[in-house]
Amino acid sequence: MEIEGSARDTVERGLADALIVSGTGTGMATDVADLERVRSACPRARLLLGSGVTLENARNYLAIADGFIVGTSLKVGGKLSNPVDPRRVAALAKLLVAADVRRL
C-alpha cells in the first residue's frame, strides 16, 4: 500500500489523533514529498515529523507539518547517545518562535 493509503486508513479506520511521518531511521530526515503526499491524502489530520528534523532543515517542513518529534539533532554533536545540548534546543526554539508556529 502506498503512503497515502496507509495514512488515510490510519485516520479513517484507526481513528488516529495524529499521524507521524518519519525518515528511514533514527535521525534520518523525512522526505518532504512523502509528507506532502500524506498532507494531500489527509488534509485535516495533524501531521508530526518523527525523525531527522534539524535546525538546518526545519524550515522545509514548517508549512506542511503540525509538529516535530526531535531528539538526535538536539544532542551534543548530533549523536543520540550524548546528552541534550541546550544551545541546539534554544536555536531550534528560536527558529520556531520566529516562524510563529502555534498550530497545535
Side-chain angles (χ1 to χ4, degrees), residues 4-88:
E4 300 95 307
S6 295
R8 212 173 4 260
D9 191 52
T10 301
V11 169
E12 293 172 3
R13 293 180 61 220
L15 304 176
D17 292 324
L19 296 171
I20 300 171
V21 182
S22 293
T24 58
T26 300
M28 302 300 293
T30 302
D31 186 331
V32 174
D34 284 346
L35 189 62
E36 289 171 337
R37 289 168 56 197
V38 171
R39 172 58 72 206
S40 180
C42 305
R44 291 185 304 278
R46 289 189 178 185
L47 299 186
L48 306 175
L49 291 186
S51 67
V53 175
T54 65
L55 182 61
E56 294 76 27
N57 70 13
R59 285 182 183 86
N60 299 336
Y61 303 116
L62 289 174
I64 310 164
D66 296 301
F68 305 147
I69 300 169
V70 186
T72 304
S73 73
L74 299 180
K75 301 291 189 98
V76 173
K79 294 190 179 203
L80 184 59
S81 60
N82 287 345
V84 172
D85 183 339
R87 290 171 298 178
R88 287 176 179 241

